Amino acid sequence: MSTPELEIMALRERLDVWSLAYHRDDNPLASDAEYDTALRRLRDLELLHPEYFSASSPTQRVGDTPLGEFVSVGHKLPMLSLDNAFSGDDLAAFEERNAAKLGVHSLTFCCEPKLDGVAMSLLYEDGNLVRAATRGDGSSGEDITHNARTIDTVPLRLRVLSCPKVLEVRGEVVIPRGAFATLNAQQAQRGETVFQNPRNAAAGSLRQLNSRVTATRPLVFMAYAVGYTEEAELPATHSHTLAYLRDAGFKTSGLIECVEGWAAAEHYVERILVQRDAMDVDIDGVVVKVDDFAQQQRLGFVARAPRWAIARKFPAQEEVTRLLGIDYQVGRTGAITPVARLKPVFVGGVTVSNATLHNVDEMARLDIRIGDEVIVRRAGDVIPQIVRSLVDRRVGNPETVIFPSHCPDCSTPLTRDLDEAAIRCDNRTGCPAQQKAALEHFVSRKALDIDGVGEKLLHQLFDTGLVRSVADLYELTVEQVAALDRMGLKSAQKAIDAIDKSKVTDLHRFLYALGIREVGEATARALAAHFGSLDAIASASQNALEEVSDVGPVVATHIRRYFSLESNRRLIDRLLHVGMDWVDTQESSHANAVLAGQTWVVTGKLESMSRDAAGALVRRLGGQTVGSVSKNTDVLLAGPGAGSKLSKAQSLGLKIIDESEFAKIVSEAGV
Ligand code: IVH
């Protein structure tokens, strides 16, 4: 071989290996710059030596001249759909049916996530990609070879030792959630269509006549089956075939598992369901497949679905319901939140009758009208959202919803700060809704945690005029509380005791309880740890405040504004006067700050202490604690029963420790 030919071959091989490591294994072997330099070199050499052209070169993924129209192609084997199972019982029946037909007691199943994307079939002849097609009606689809070739996870050539003459690989084209968010942000910025969800975006990107557009979309192909073959030596089971496809260069799900019997399959379903929200791709269930090909063959098909596979569907995360009205809630800081009142609908595993509309901008974007049919989404623990209105189903021309101009509670004209999404009622001290919300915040668990004084009692106290500000709570008598409607002497005493007990607290709780705008629990902790006393915080300069890890210019301004108001200073004086007290710590000691600079999350049930106590220990050792796992988390302390936080930490490759390891760190630090 000539020198340029050798170099071209070597570059192609190296780029293929790097690409697989990056796209299939999420384990980059080279930097982006190294990859780009090698690709450029290869392109230059190929231009100089057109005689060594190869359609499977990594340079051939950029997209072609646009097509005039799509061509229909027949599938050599139909692309089937799947029957659905909605419960463990359905899976049990599925196993019983098949085991009886085969004359066996139980079956080995291959379980895999059911990816919520677009099906695609890839045809390889002598190892080269020759055609890609959509599912279409199952018998024939559209030729999308030009688009498939631009997808990094579609091998242009199989990496196998002995090439099958013909091999058809089937799988799902998806867009990962993170990439979807970025794509939509770009689309919006360019004034182009914003996609409803990753599946629609994947479908739209695959059905492009211009493959240069497809090339810019973050599509990922994940293989899940083999279709038609000629002269292919494939393994005897589905699970081994997936491993074969992976070796051949395809991305496959990392969550594939073989199990014995339906109960184990259902157990797999439960484990995947817990991880669902933390995953990077949308899934809508689990596919359970009889693993043995010989058994699959004997079971065969009914109508358009195989007998040997079933889709165990998850509860839908989106449903259609009707918008009955919109309420406007006044928050603690005066922000007005529009809340959609919905005809109750079962979605994401619960009945939903309200959904947040966030703010005036979101309302404008949705342009919903009262009476509209709307799509409601509830994913995991996230509060229900309205995705969009089904405008086509709108009857007549209902009026546009107009955001109120005055506070629904105190009638003060509403204002909107420049560059802020929220519309507010600025009547902070006189607006009953805000005063009540401030009281609720003050007694809440993360603030002063006054057990026995709930929302109902607070509203009664407020409405009867007994309590207008949080300081009034500490001047209440048992008799006053006992005289309220439906209050006995015993519960009144309990409430007063709880209020009394709350006087001894921590600086960070007190600070959080004050309800300073943008000062959440974590910020309050950071401020308390940094300054050590309330006086130091109240008199801190803008610059001094901004030195605290959690505090930026906006938060610092809110803190300064809070303490500059005479009414707030008076309130604090009154609270101190009634006996609120905590131990000031001066600048936190750094002697045993072994966790300094680290961010921890605590989850699950711990044996020897509560999660709060563990968090306090982390902070005492100089670490920071947060509530949710992200790529910025350093360590997850996980006890038994840890759920989605654990799986997310695993998927992000974070350090995970158990209670005994934690105990060791604590004792080694001498605490
Ligand atoms: S196997 C004959 N496995 O679900 C078996 N399908 O309702 C055919 N899908 O259009 C499919 N993830 O595109 C299989 N791991 C998976 C899947 C999967 C998603 C899609 C597939 C098909 C639909 C069937």
Side-chain angles (χ1 to χ4, degrees):
M1 262 192 246
S2 68
T3 323
E5 186 179 11
L6 274 178
E7 189 181 354
I8 286 174
M9 307 282 268
L11 279 168
R12 285 179 186 158
E13 172 64 14
R14 184 185 311 156
L15 286 162
D16 280 346
V17 169
W18 284 352
S19 171
L20 279 178
Y22 185 88
H23 295 286
R24 183 192 65 184
D25 307 335
D26 297 321
N27 178 29
L29 295 176
S31 70
D32 290 1
E34 281 172 306
Y35 186 93
D36 291 343
T37 309
L39 187 66
R40 222 174 302 124
R41 171 76 186 149
L42 177 59
R43 205 174 282 139
D44 291 347
L45 284 171
E46 287 179 348
L47 275 175
L48 280 172
H49 299 278
E51 67 273 26
Y52 303 129
F53 171 82
S54 159
S56 57
S57 168
T59 55
Q60 302 302 304
R61 289 195 183 274
V62 284
D64 252 319
T65 39
L67 299 185
E69 59 175 4
F70 286 108
V71 178
S72 168
V73 282
H75 298 300
K76 291 201 183 173
L77 284 179
M79 286 182 80
L80 302 162
S81 57
L82 292 167
D83 277 343
N84 290 331
F86 296 99
S87 65
D89 285 350
D90 290 353
L91 282 187
F94 164 72
E95 177 169 37
E96 196 181 299
R97 258 192 327 267
N98 285 326
K101 244 183 175 353
L102 295 167
V104 294
H105 283 302
S106 75
L107 289 165
T108 303
F109 295 120
C110 182
C111 303
E112 36 194 285
K114 184 168 188 302
L115 305 160
D116 194 6
V118 185
M120 180 164 78
S121 150
L122 301 172
L123 195 66
Y124 290 84
E125 286 175 4
D126 300 317
N128 293 310
L129 175 68
V130 294
R131 204 191 68 196
T134 60
R135 177 171 184 272
D137 63 5
S139 313
S140 61
E142 280 170 335
D143 189 327
I144 50 166
T145 315
H146 62 303
N147 288 333
R149 295 181 58 85
T150 69
I151 303 175
D152 294 302
T153 36
V154 168
L156 298 176
R157 207 185 142 66
L158 300 177
R159 296 179 69 83
V160 283
L161 284 178
S162 74
C163 255
K165 188 163 177 332
V166 179
L167 179 74
E168 191 189 16
V169 179
R170 290 172 176 181
E172 203 83 349
V173 177
V174 297
I175 293 186
R177 288 175 183 163
F180 172 72
T182 314
L183 170 65
N184 254 357
Q186 285 167 351
Q187 292 285 107
Q189 207 172 28
R190 295 195 203 113
E192 287 174 33
T193 5
V194 169
F195 300 102
Q196 294 300 341
N197 54 43
R199 177 171 24 84
N200 287 354
S205 304
L206 273 189
R207 284 200 82 264
Q208 287 284 335
L209 288 167
N210 184 353
S211 54
R212 300 225 164 99
V213 175
T214 310
T216 66
R217 301 284 168 81
L219 297 169
V220 174
F221 175 74
M222 295 177 80
Y224 57 61
V226 159
Y228 178 79
T229 61
E230 278 176 37
E231 293 175 35
E233 284 168 36
L234 291 177
T237 63
H238 174 70
S239 52
H240 284 110
T241 302
L242 290 178
Y244 167 91
L245 289 177
R246 198 186 140 76
D247 290 341
F250 292 93
K251 192 177 174 86
T252 52
S253 166
L255 298 166
I256 296 161
E257 260 179 52
C258 278
V259 301
E260 296 296 321
W262 72 268
E266 180 63 10
H267 191 220
Y268 173 88
V269 169
E270 283 161 16
R271 275 179 287 137
I272 296 292
L273 192 50
V274 175
Q275 298 177 49
R276 182 187 198 182
D277 295 320
M279 284 185 184
D280 200 32
V281 290
D282 284 352
I283 63 170
D284 56 356
V286 159
V287 186
V288 180
K289 302 174 182 171
V290 171
D291 196 39
D292 185 280
F293 281 149
Q295 289 184 330
Q296 283 192 5
Q297 190 125 36
R298 284 169 60 201
L299 291 167
F301 306 87
V302 244
R304 305 213 54 79
R307 283 205 187 83
W308 45 263
I310 201 158
R312 168 74 174 82
K313 300 280 272 197
F314 290 161
Q317 291 182 313
E318 289 186 0
E319 287 295 344
V320 174
T321 188
R322 196 173 291 284
L323 177 69
L324 302 177
I326 297 177
D327 290 337
Y328 296 89
Q329 290 178 353
V330 187
R332 176 170 59 80
T333 60
I336 313 286
T337 307
V339 178
R341 269 192 301 109
L342 303 168
K343 180 160 172 254
V345 62
F346 193 73
V347 53
V350 299
T351 301
V352 166
S353 44
N354 293 307
T356 179
L357 291 167
H358 297 288
N359 53 47
V360 67
D361 294 341
E362 175 71 357
M363 268 173 67
R365 185 187 74 79
L366 289 168
D367 187 28
I368 43 173
R369 318 280 170 92
I370 309 296
D372 274 359
E373 286 193 69
V374 293
I375 297 179
V376 188
R377 180 178 175 82
R378 180 184 180 273
D381 297 335
V382 181
I383 39 174
Q385 323 269 327
I386 291 187
V387 180
R388 72 194 156 97
S389 167
L390 301 174
V391 180
D392 297 346
R393 301 199 197 168
R394 197 174 272 168
V395 197
N397 188 18
E399 280 172 37
T400 310
V401 180
I402 300 191
F403 206 89
S405 57
H406 290 73
C407 175
D409 211 56
C410 71
S411 304
T412 303
L414 299 177
T415 59
R416 180 175 187 171
D417 282 352
L418 239 62
D419 60 270
E420 235 206 24
I423 289 191
R424 295 179 187 281
C425 164
D426 278 332
N427 183 15
R428 284 215 63 175
T429 46
C431 173
Q434 288 181 61
Q435 289 172 295
K436 285 184 201 170
L439 287 168
E440 284 165 28
H441 174 74
F442 191 79
V443 305
S444 66
R445 201 170 56 79
K446 287 178 179 166
L448 290 184
D449 193 15
I450 309 187
D451 220 17
V453 182
E455 187 182 309
K456 213 178 114 231
L457 176 58
L458 281 178
H459 286 206
Q460 274 182 299
L461 290 167
F462 186 89
D463 293 338
T464 51
L466 283 173
V467 171
R468 280 295 145 109
S469 105
V470 294
D472 297 338
L473 284 171
Y474 295 92
E475 287 172 1
L476 284 172
T477 64
V478 177
E479 293 71 32
Q480 282 174 319
V481 178
L484 293 171
D485 224 19
R486 284 168 208 266
M487 259 301 199
L489 207 58
K490 231 168 115 186
S491 36
Q493 186 64 54
K494 210 179 122 212
I496 295 294
D497 288 348
I499 293 171
D500 213 42
K501 210 175 105 200
S502 74
K503 285 180 186 169
V504 179
T505 184
D506 299 313
L507 173 56
H508 67 84
R509 277 184 182 274
F510 181 78
L511 203 54
Y512 174 68
L514 291 177
I516 304 168
R517 248 171 87 181
E518 306 283 339
V519 177
E521 198 206 354
T523 309
R525 278 186 196 282
L527 286 165
H530 189 90
F531 289 103
S533 75
L534 186 65
D535 280 347
I537 299 168
S539 57
S541 67
Q542 180 87 12
N543 280 343
L545 287 167
E546 284 183 37
E547 268 176 32
V548 180
S549 60
D550 235 26
V551 178
V554 175
V555 184
T557 308
H558 285 309
I559 297 170
R560 300 245 301 149
R561 193 177 296 158
Y562 182 90
F563 287 107
S564 72
L565 281 182
E566 180 58 28
S567 55
N568 290 335
R569 285 190 175 268
R570 263 208 313 271
L571 173 71
I572 292 172
D573 282 346
R574 260 187 82 195
L575 287 169
L576 296 177
H577 188 74
V578 296
M580 295 233 57
D581 199 13
W582 55 85
V583 180
D584 280 347
T585 53
Q586 288 317 313
E587 293 253 333
S588 61
S589 110
H590 294 289
N592 43 24
V594 290
L595 306 184
Q598 297 185 8
T599 301
W600 284 54
V601 174
V602 183
T603 188
K605 187 166 165 39
L606 304 181
E607 296 285 324
S608 62
M609 65 184 98
S610 67
R611 279 195 296 273
D612 279 349
L617 275 172
V618 169
R619 290 187 295 276
R620 232 179 112 188
L621 296 177
Q624 179 180 306
T625 51
V626 293
S628 58
V629 173
S630 75
K631 65 178 191 318
N632 298 324
T633 309
D634 293 296
V635 183
L636 179 77
L637 167 56
S644 59
K645 288 182 189 173
L646 178 58
S647 41
K648 182 155 186 199
Q650 283 166 338
S651 71
L652 289 170
L654 303 180
K655 180 169 175 188
I656 299 163
I657 68 166
D658 64 12
E659 196 172 347
S660 65
E661 287 172 82
F662 181 58
K664 229 169 98 197
I665 296 175
V666 173
S667 74
E668 274 168 15
V671 172

